[in-house]
Amino acid sequence: MKKEAFFYVFQGDLIFCAVFLLGIKPTPMEDMLFYDRMQFAFTITFHYLFPQLTMGLSLMIVWFKWKFLRTQIENYNEAAKFWMKIFAINFAMGVVTGIPMEFQFGTNWAKFSELTGGIIGQTLAMEGMFSFFLESSFLGLFLFGEKLLGHKLHFITGFLVFLGSWASGYLIIATHSWMQHPVGYEILENGKFVLNNFGALFSNPWLLPSYLHNQLASIITAAFVVSAVGAFYLLNNKHSDFGKLFLKTGVIFGLFSSVLVAFPTGDLVAKNVVKHQPVTFAAMEGIFETEEGGSEIVLIGQPNILEKKLDNKIAVPNILSFLTYQEWDAEIKGLNEFEPNTYPTNIPGLYYAYHIMVGLGTIFIGLMFLAAIQLFRKKLFTTKWILWALLFMVPFPYIANTTGWYTAELGRQPWLVYNLLRTSEGISPTVSSGNTLFTLLGFIGLYLLLGLLFLILVGKIIYKGPQTIKH
Amino acid sequence: MELFWYIVLMCMLTVYVILDGYDFGAGIVHLFFAKTEKDKKAITNAIGPFWDANEVWLIAAGGVLFFAFPTLYAASFSGFYLPLIMILWLLIFRAIGLELRGQIHNKIWETIWDKAFGIASLLLALFFGIALGNVVRGVNLGMVTDGVSAHEPHYFFLPLWNPTFSPKAEHLGIIDWFTILLGIIGVIALTIHGANWIIYKTNSELNSKLKSIIFKLNFGLLALVVLSLFIWHIIEPQPFHNFIKTPWLWVFPIITFTGLFGLFKVRTFKKDGMGFLFSSLFLFGGITSTVASIFPKLLPSTNTTNPDLTIYNMAADSYGLSIGVNWFIIAVILVAVYFTIQYKVFKGKMDNVGYGEH
């Protein structure tokens, strides 16, 4: 029993160590699983750097265009045009890195696709039919059609691109929600999942909180990017009019989204986890043992799996119980109450991902709050330290979004479909690890190139700045 | 229900080949025949606003395959692992070649992305032809050696090639002399198709040159198509049994040859769109004839131990398939509206679209 527990807890990390540090050869199946997971993790992490900006930024561009239609102030239109240039490159990166995601369900996760395709195939096919066609048809019109269409129709094409990207997010999260909390299915004798209630896919209690949480997080990314560019222009004394416009808009969007992402949406997502995946919740929060009289909230500490405790812990008593159940002494189950073979495979990874997300989220609220106060007092544009802080904040919403998704995905392990289908049962049976490593290396090289190109081109656009209107 | 989704899937794939096919063809023309900056501009203007939406047909068809025939999706995507991932890489190069070229005005930068776009288009046309060849030839389902399956009966894995390059070997590869023949047919057919699109959508100085290129290439295409029909007999002893059983299916080969012979008149067409119409007919007829000849097989088995994959043993469960019809019909209507709007706005000659200019 003890040996088995040890094996499961360490499975994820052991394979990693074995391959990279010790050179010990795991079994061929473990090897295949490892590289399949690595490739998916790498390609999805890189991919999602782009759609999070696409979704948030499309909203802000539509907002700029809308303000222009309402006020006829030319700078709003120029702002929309400026961000559209960045949007175009960002969108293209999202598309080209997104297609490999759909393919990989079949190439690397064939068994998973075979068993669940009748269900998740629905939502994924709907994504292609409802959102990709919408986005791709109107993106061309949006990017090249301003003169051809006039401002009102141009606004509408922008809105349709925004709608398409948000619909895409919705259908992806519907798919994700089914994997986290399967509904509306039955399992046949041959192990296949078949749909018996289409509506249940969309009334899944997991779906709405996760969707709103995710969309707000993507607005945070866009808001921080927009305000950072604004701060850059002001600190640089270039394009100051636009700098002010970007800062004002970015800070307002940023404040609202940072607050809403934590409460109520983040809170609702956490409540779903506590209710449906209590063992994941225990691992996320770093609770090894159930605490009598209410659980403390851990701010800092390193999970020590060997001794089943947190090292160097700083915690506040009873807060977690209150946040979770609104009762100071409510009991929250620790890892000790669950079977070790249901533990998330990488407990420290999950714990850190979650804490980084929450920590950064708190900083976002604080910074945007201060910036908003200064904006209200009409002092934001001269408060240098806030401008510097906003400028340096750019990578962090990306990190928070990524770690947020790591929390969801590592939290679901060792399952593909929670409690029903293990990750190890989902891989392609005939694709050897050597072939997967080959393609993984290819993706790493190619994406490195894409990342560099993106930075160079977007850097160039930002440096050049929006077109200033000559009076 | 299976039959409905099968027809839907095949229609989507055919639309994909006709639409993205002209993008690939334009890329090949760009690589070999566009000498001046003006020629290149004409080509990218002709496909610029469309290629992205065209590519979506592949993704959407993939989605429908996943949803309606999940087992086939799983088996074929994992079995054709390497070429599929390479197609992904090529699609990435094609896309960034087109999108990034105009971002920096520098000779070296432009040359790099021109070549990326052209070479990726060429290889994609070749790969898609090879893919069709693999589906016709079939694979060693279950990876049988001496009558014993190494895997479940529908799973397989193909390396890029086997040392003999023979389509009759026990352990097959993706590339053999039969599939490479179809690959070359794919390249020539799409080059013609792309050239027709450029003639249709631009007033480029390239157009008259392209017409004579199409005329010459068409002889090669005809010769290779006839050759492949002879070879087909080696791969599949009875390629016509569906046609004999259901005579109306002959309509598809007739369409193919109408398109093919019609293209010989390319130099005298009054309307610029006629050539594109005939090359579309050829592609449509070619794909539908192939599909009709192997129906209801989706992927034939080359061994006698495991059965062919057919639309009947691969389909998803019937509740999901029937409910899918509802949203699919709504979606198709919407897609038709989008495409109408898109092609209306960008109708006629597109020499002045200014694609990729910043």
Side-chain angles (χ1 to χ4, degrees), chain A residues 5 9 56 78 100 129 215 244 298 311 330 333 452 462:
Chain A
V9 170
E78 286 304 320
M129 294 301 298
Q215 299 313 97
K244 286 173 186 169
V298 177
D311 293 337
K333 284 184 174 163
L452 275 172
I462 291 174

Side-chain angles (χ1 to χ4, degrees), chain B residues 270-285:
Chain B
K270 293 252 160 53
K271 279 191 177 166
D272 284 345
M274 286 301 278
F276 182 71
L277 178 72
F278 279 103
S279 54
S280 301
L281 283 180
F282 172 74
L283 292 173
F284 170 81

